[in-house]
Amino acid sequence: MPLIITAVAVVLLIVLISVFRLNTFISLMLVSTGAALAFGIPMAKIATTLEAGIGSTLGHIALIFGLGAMLGRLVADAGGAQKIALSLIRIFGEKKIQWAVVVASFIVGIAMFFEVGLVLLLPIIFSIAREMKVNPLYLGIPMLSSLLATHCFLPPHPGPTVIAGEYGANLGTVLVYGIIVAVPTVVLAGPIFLAIAKRLVPSAFSKQGDIKALGEVKSFRDEEMPGFGISILTSMLPVILMIIATFAQTIKLATGMNESVILQFVEFCGQPSIAMLISIVIAMYTMGIRRGISAKDIMGSCASSIAAIGMMLLIIGGGGAFKQVLIAGGVGKYIGTFFANSSFSPILLAWTVAAILRIALGSATVAALSTAGLVVPVLGAYDVNLALVTLATGAGSTIASHVNDAGFWMVKEYFGLTLKETFATWTVLATLQSVLGLVFIMILAEFV
């Protein structure tokens, strides 16, 4: 019965979002309430269950998520992201332009959420494509692969950040392992897949696309942009701090090193929230004050970034409420009985559940959070690396982007593709990246 109720709840969620076009957050709250009643949760406890789910989810990631949005906006508004992209393209040269796009998109993607990075990089990609007389999709596939990988595997993006909190995984470890998994995945799903896609659907590479819907996008002259080195350092600083802290903790555990003041300070600076806070303060100087930008404009950039992610925070909170209802309804424990004496990998379980929910729901974030509600109770029975389960959930939640995913329509419209061409390029890319991610996670699991 718990599985039937869950299935009905998921179908109802799909209908409300896809058929009735109801807001995702409202849909999640309605379905969560209905599911709670169906599970037999006492009416007096339903509201507190929903609030607990929202609070526990947002309490862990709101600060990281908010500060991450501010950092990305500061770098973008100062021209730092444009400087990174154009400089790398000049360094790599025309013959290796795809690899330049991969690296630039990966760096920009770490600092910015998928949609923001896409909107920011598209004008640059289209401009370079015109100059080189190549199709925009020729550069677009490597760009999309990098942005999707950072969205899927690397904090401070919402998926890996939220799921790490739900599973109790160390965010620094998730970041290190995420980079190890993301790099080969991007190489295979980006430039190498591009060669296959050109043969698979050649008509897609004859379209010129249209980015007029983006409106007027600010373009910077070279003298208006910050330096290449400072732009990369500012964008990557949270990652650098978290990686340093993770390695310091690893060395401490391996050598039995005493907890010195220096080590405590390194670990303090590497805590995700503190790393983001330090990075924001430095970004205000490097991307703002140092370049003569007023405090009012700096704060304006920060405020606009928060306004842009307000609905996303509500959706994440709604996903947390649905997750909590699934846990309170005993669905996870019920699933756990199937795997109590099984050798089935929890990494594979997390990926499979997330993939099914992603295909059904469209939203990667909602799919990942719902997966947590089903998988968390099962994890206690296994000795498994929680960081790898986090990455597997993220990989599964990005599979097979199709008509119920906003990203699908963004790619279709911006690159001027037909539905068939979008399926053959973007949907295949997302699926390939998800499966390759799982493969590399399973390989990594043999060594850590």
Side-chain angles (χ1 to χ4, degrees), residues 305-336:
S305 70
I306 296 303
I309 65 167
M311 183 51 67
M312 176 61 75
L313 282 171
L314 282 178
I315 291 171
I316 290 173
F322 186 50
K323 173 263 307 180
Q324 195 65 34
V325 166
L326 293 178
I327 291 175
V331 179
K333 291 181 180 178
Y334 188 78
I335 291 177

Short mmCIF file of all heavy atoms in Angstrom, two decimals, residues 305-336:
data_model
loop_
_atom_site.label_atom_id
_atom_site.label_comp_id
_atom_site.label_asym_id
_atom_site.label_seq_id
_atom_site.Cartn_x
_atom_site.Cartn_y
_atom_site.Cartn_z
N SER A 305 20.03 38.84 -7.35
CA SER A 305 20.29 37.39 -7.39
C SER A 305 19.35 36.63 -6.47
O SER A 305 18.88 35.55 -6.81
CB SER A 305 21.75 37.11 -7.01
OG SER A 305 21.97 37.36 -5.63
N ILE A 306 19.06 37.20 -5.32
CA ILE A 306 18.16 36.53 -4.37
C ILE A 306 16.73 36.53 -4.90
O ILE A 306 16.00 35.54 -4.77
CB ILE A 306 18.23 37.22 -2.99
CG1 ILE A 306 19.63 37.05 -2.39
CG2 ILE A 306 17.19 36.64 -2.04
CD1 ILE A 306 20.07 35.61 -2.24
N ALA A 307 16.33 37.65 -5.52
CA ALA A 307 14.98 37.70 -6.10
C ALA A 307 14.80 36.63 -7.16
O ALA A 307 13.73 36.04 -7.30
CB ALA A 307 14.73 39.09 -6.69
N ALA A 308 15.87 36.36 -7.89
CA ALA A 308 15.80 35.38 -8.98
C ALA A 308 15.67 33.95 -8.49
O ALA A 308 15.16 33.09 -9.22
CB ALA A 308 17.03 35.52 -9.87
N ILE A 309 16.13 33.66 -7.27
CA ILE A 309 16.09 32.27 -6.80
C ILE A 309 14.99 32.03 -5.77
O ILE A 309 14.90 30.95 -5.20
CB ILE A 309 17.45 31.85 -6.17
CG1 ILE A 309 17.75 32.65 -4.90
CG2 ILE A 309 18.57 31.98 -7.19
CD1 ILE A 309 18.87 32.09 -4.07
N GLY A 310 14.16 33.05 -5.53
CA GLY A 310 13.11 32.91 -4.52
C GLY A 310 12.19 31.73 -4.76
O GLY A 310 11.94 30.91 -3.86
N MET A 311 11.69 31.59 -6.00
CA MET A 311 10.79 30.49 -6.31
C MET A 311 11.52 29.15 -6.24
O MET A 311 10.95 28.15 -5.79
CB MET A 311 10.17 30.69 -7.70
CG MET A 311 9.16 29.61 -8.08
SD MET A 311 7.86 29.31 -6.81
CE MET A 311 6.98 30.87 -6.89
N MET A 312 12.80 29.13 -6.65
CA MET A 312 13.57 27.89 -6.57
C MET A 312 13.69 27.43 -5.12
O MET A 312 13.58 26.23 -4.82
CB MET A 312 14.95 28.10 -7.17
CG MET A 312 15.87 26.88 -7.05
SD MET A 312 15.23 25.41 -7.88
CE MET A 312 15.56 25.83 -9.59
N LEU A 313 13.90 28.36 -4.20
CA LEU A 313 13.97 28.00 -2.78
C LEU A 313 12.66 27.41 -2.30
O LEU A 313 12.64 26.44 -1.53
CB LEU A 313 14.35 29.23 -1.94
CG LEU A 313 15.82 29.64 -1.95
CD1 LEU A 313 16.00 30.98 -1.26
CD2 LEU A 313 16.68 28.58 -1.27
N LEU A 314 11.54 28.00 -2.74
CA LEU A 314 10.23 27.46 -2.35
C LEU A 314 10.03 26.04 -2.91
O LEU A 314 9.52 25.16 -2.21
CB LEU A 314 9.11 28.37 -2.85
CG LEU A 314 8.85 29.65 -2.05
CD1 LEU A 314 7.74 30.47 -2.71
CD2 LEU A 314 8.47 29.33 -0.60
N ILE A 315 10.44 25.82 -4.15
CA ILE A 315 10.30 24.50 -4.76
C ILE A 315 11.15 23.47 -4.01
O ILE A 315 10.72 22.35 -3.75
CB ILE A 315 10.68 24.56 -6.25
CG1 ILE A 315 9.64 25.36 -7.03
CG2 ILE A 315 10.81 23.15 -6.84
CD1 ILE A 315 10.02 25.66 -8.46
N ILE A 316 12.37 23.88 -3.65
CA ILE A 316 13.23 22.98 -2.88
C ILE A 316 12.58 22.67 -1.52
O ILE A 316 12.58 21.53 -1.07
CB ILE A 316 14.62 23.62 -2.67
CG1 ILE A 316 15.38 23.66 -4.00
CG2 ILE A 316 15.44 22.83 -1.65
CD1 ILE A 316 16.68 24.42 -3.95
N GLY A 317 12.02 23.70 -0.90
CA GLY A 317 11.32 23.48 0.37
C GLY A 317 10.13 22.56 0.20
O GLY A 317 9.89 21.67 1.03
N GLY A 318 9.37 22.74 -0.90
CA GLY A 318 8.23 21.85 -1.17
C GLY A 318 8.67 20.42 -1.40
O GLY A 318 8.02 19.47 -0.96
N GLY A 319 9.80 20.27 -2.10
CA GLY A 319 10.35 18.93 -2.28
C GLY A 319 10.75 18.31 -0.95
O GLY A 319 10.58 17.09 -0.73
N GLY A 320 11.26 19.14 -0.05
CA GLY A 320 11.61 18.66 1.30
C GLY A 320 10.38 18.20 2.07
O GLY A 320 10.42 17.21 2.81
N ALA A 321 9.26 18.92 1.89
CA ALA A 321 8.01 18.53 2.55
C ALA A 321 7.53 17.17 2.03
O ALA A 321 7.11 16.30 2.81
CB ALA A 321 6.95 19.60 2.31
N PHE A 322 7.60 16.97 0.71
CA PHE A 322 7.18 15.70 0.12
C PHE A 322 8.06 14.57 0.61
O PHE A 322 7.59 13.47 0.95
CB PHE A 322 7.24 15.83 -1.40
CG PHE A 322 6.69 14.63 -2.14
CD1 PHE A 322 5.46 14.09 -1.83
CD2 PHE A 322 7.43 14.03 -3.16
CE1 PHE A 322 4.95 12.99 -2.51
CE2 PHE A 322 6.94 12.94 -3.85
CZ PHE A 322 5.70 12.41 -3.52
N LYS A 323 9.36 14.85 0.67
CA LYS A 323 10.33 13.86 1.18
C LYS A 323 9.99 13.45 2.61
O LYS A 323 9.99 12.27 2.96
CB LYS A 323 11.73 14.45 1.11
CG LYS A 323 12.85 13.64 1.73
CD LYS A 323 13.20 14.07 3.17
CE LYS A 323 13.49 15.52 3.30
NZ LYS A 323 13.84 15.90 4.69
N GLN A 324 9.66 14.45 3.46
CA GLN A 324 9.37 14.17 4.86
C GLN A 324 8.10 13.34 5.02
O GLN A 324 8.01 12.46 5.89
CB GLN A 324 9.23 15.49 5.64
CG GLN A 324 9.27 15.35 7.15
CD GLN A 324 10.62 14.85 7.63
OE1 GLN A 324 11.65 15.18 7.05
NE2 GLN A 324 10.62 14.04 8.67
N VAL A 325 7.12 13.60 4.15
CA VAL A 325 5.88 12.82 4.19
C VAL A 325 6.16 11.37 3.81
O VAL A 325 5.63 10.43 4.43
CB VAL A 325 4.83 13.44 3.24
CG1 VAL A 325 3.67 12.46 3.01
CG2 VAL A 325 4.30 14.74 3.81
N LEU A 326 7.01 11.15 2.82
CA LEU A 326 7.36 9.79 2.42
C LEU A 326 8.06 9.05 3.56
O LEU A 326 7.81 7.86 3.79
CB LEU A 326 8.27 9.81 1.18
CG LEU A 326 7.65 10.32 -0.12
CD1 LEU A 326 8.69 10.34 -1.23
CD2 LEU A 326 6.45 9.47 -0.53
N ILE A 327 8.93 9.78 4.27
CA ILE A 327 9.62 9.15 5.41
C ILE A 327 8.64 8.86 6.53
O ILE A 327 8.61 7.75 7.08
CB ILE A 327 10.75 10.09 5.92
CG1 ILE A 327 11.87 10.16 4.88
CG2 ILE A 327 11.30 9.58 7.25
CD1 ILE A 327 12.96 11.15 5.22
N ALA A 328 7.79 9.86 6.87
CA ALA A 328 6.82 9.68 7.95
C ALA A 328 5.80 8.60 7.62
O ALA A 328 5.29 7.91 8.51
CB ALA A 328 6.11 11.00 8.25
N GLY A 329 5.51 8.45 6.32
CA GLY A 329 4.55 7.43 5.90
C GLY A 329 5.12 6.03 5.86
O GLY A 329 4.40 5.06 5.59
N GLY A 330 6.44 5.92 6.11
CA GLY A 330 7.07 4.61 6.19
C GLY A 330 7.44 4.00 4.85
O GLY A 330 7.76 2.80 4.77
N VAL A 331 7.45 4.81 3.78
CA VAL A 331 7.75 4.27 2.46
C VAL A 331 9.19 3.77 2.39
O VAL A 331 9.46 2.69 1.85
CB VAL A 331 7.51 5.35 1.36
CG1 VAL A 331 7.85 4.77 -0.01
CG2 VAL A 331 6.08 5.81 1.39
N GLY A 332 10.09 4.56 2.95
CA GLY A 332 11.50 4.16 2.92
C GLY A 332 11.74 2.85 3.66
O GLY A 332 12.48 1.99 3.18
N LYS A 333 11.13 2.71 4.81
CA LYS A 333 11.28 1.47 5.58
C LYS A 333 10.69 0.29 4.82
O LYS A 333 11.22 -0.82 4.85
CB LYS A 333 10.61 1.61 6.95
CG LYS A 333 11.32 2.59 7.89
CD LYS A 333 10.60 2.67 9.23
CE LYS A 333 11.32 3.65 10.16
NZ LYS A 333 10.62 3.79 11.46
N TYR A 334 9.58 0.55 4.15
CA TYR A 334 8.93 -0.51 3.38
C TYR A 334 9.84 -0.98 2.25
O TYR A 334 9.99 -2.17 2.00
CB TYR A 334 7.61 0.01 2.82
CG TYR A 334 6.76 -1.05 2.16
CD1 TYR A 334 6.01 -1.95 2.92
CD2 TYR A 334 6.70 -1.16 0.77
CE1 TYR A 334 5.24 -2.92 2.33
CE2 TYR A 334 5.92 -2.13 0.16
CZ TYR A 334 5.20 -3.01 0.94
OH TYR A 334 4.43 -3.97 0.35
N ILE A 335 10.46 0.00 1.56
CA ILE A 335 11.41 -0.35 0.50
C ILE A 335 12.61 -1.08 1.09
O ILE A 335 13.17 -2.00 0.49
CB ILE A 335 11.86 0.92 -0.26
CG1 ILE A 335 10.69 1.47 -1.07
CG2 ILE A 335 13.05 0.63 -1.19
CD1 ILE A 335 10.99 2.76 -1.79
N GLY A 336 13.01 -0.63 2.29
CA GLY A 336 14.16 -1.25 2.95
C GLY A 336 14.00 -2.73 3.18
O GLY A 336 14.98 -3.48 3.17
#
